[in-house]
Amino acid sequence: MDKTLFSLKDVGFCYQKESRLFNGVTLNINAGESVCLLGANGSGKSTLLKIFCGLVFPSAGTFCAFGEEINEDLLEDDFFAKQYHRRVGFVFQNSDAQLFTTRVWDEIAFGPLQVGINSDEVRKRVNDVVTILHIEDLVNRSPYRLSGGEKKKVAFASVLVMNPEVLIMDEPTNGLDPKTQRWLTELIIQLNGAGRTIITATHNLELAHAISRRALVLAEDHQVVGDGPTHAILEDRELLIQVNLIDEYSHVHGSQEHIHRYTHG
């Protein structure tokens, strides 16, 4: 039986002094899924991710995570907030927004130290994640002097060191060269294969095909207009045109011109 991790029921959301962004959104995400949120810029993908991460809260309806309703009062409790953010890791679209220390090793160690993990365990975790991501040559460098791809690897390291159950990513391949995109895609597949729940917001259809079995589609009016197997969503040309993910001159995903590096077992 599937275990529901995240549940939105009739959720509405609006930023201050703005009209409602979402209205009546209902969906569930189960443990072990890899789900992509697909939509054009401004469709509300990032806002949904922030709700999942406990960074913003519904103005209507309910959001439940791990069987408990999540709200602002609950996340103001320091103990609960620390536990929640240990379980849910968020990789920002812009790595610079996530990096703030003067040394990569300190950047990776910061999160576990903040939640009270002892220094020996922190050292072990940092060394393990550095080895897994092959970033040994970066640990004594300043994050601000790294390339975009190197910053992304450090941002991932600073999240993975917390060993989260859920990994949430906002446009993770933006600004990355093809080699780093391939590295990131393979890492995401590996993490999902090891049991982590993956939620990714993207308008990169190739990434969605590679990493996810399920896709949720947001229209430009912020409504969820598609929810189904990723391969079926990506073959629905009319839907992709409707939500401005492709234009009418684009070739159809899945045509014989496409050769995919990744397959789902």
Side-chain angles (χ1 to χ4, degrees), residues 33-205:
E33 282 198 280
S34 183
V35 180
C36 271
L37 306 182
L38 297 176
N41 289 337
S43 61
K45 303 187 302 297
S46 296
T47 299
L48 270 183
L49 295 190
K50 289 175 181 177
I51 290 174
F52 292 145
C53 292
L55 299 178
V56 300
F57 304 93
S59 54
T62 57
F63 165 54
C64 294
F66 311 106
E68 187 162 9
E69 184 175 346
I70 304 300
N71 54 49
E72 191 167 6
D73 289 340
L74 191 57
L75 278 173
E76 284 181 353
D77 178 270
D78 188 55
F79 177 79
F80 183 88
K82 285 180 177 180
Q83 295 305 309
Y84 191 82
H85 294 302
R86 287 178 72 165
R87 302 179 77 177
V88 180
F90 186 30
V91 179
F92 289 79
Q93 178 176 346
N94 179 6
S95 297
D96 286 328
Q98 199 164 340
L99 306 176
F100 54 90
T101 66
T102 57
R103 189 172 67 126
V104 166
W105 199 97
D106 298 322
E107 188 71 51
I108 301 170
F110 181 84
L113 287 172
Q114 291 304 300
V115 298
I117 297 174
N118 70 70
S119 57
D120 288 340
E121 174 65 15
V122 170
R123 190 176 300 107
K124 181 181 182 302
R125 287 192 181 203
V126 173
N127 290 337
D128 285 347
V129 78
V130 163
T131 300
I132 290 169
L133 300 186
H134 307 293
I135 55 173
E136 293 91 343
D137 58 330
L138 302 183
V139 291
N140 290 313
R141 294 176 60 187
S142 166
Y144 304 105
R145 295 183 178 273
L146 302 180
S147 69
E150 290 169 336
K151 287 179 180 179
K152 184 67 71 174
K153 290 180 179 183
V154 174
F156 264 84
S158 68
V159 172
L160 294 180
V161 74
M162 302 292 289
N163 195 27
E165 297 175 40
V166 185
L167 180 62
I168 296 178
M169 298 168 287
D170 192 2
E171 299 287 1
T173 58
N174 270 16
L176 299 183
D177 60 75
K179 183 178 180 180
T180 307
Q181 288 192 38
R182 185 174 71 249
W183 166 85
L184 181 55
T185 301
E186 292 172 349
L187 174 65
I188 294 167
I189 293 170
Q190 178 184 357
L191 291 169
N192 184 233
R196 282 189 177 86
T197 305
I198 308 290
I199 304 172
T200 310
T202 186
H203 58 260
N204 182 333
L205 302 186

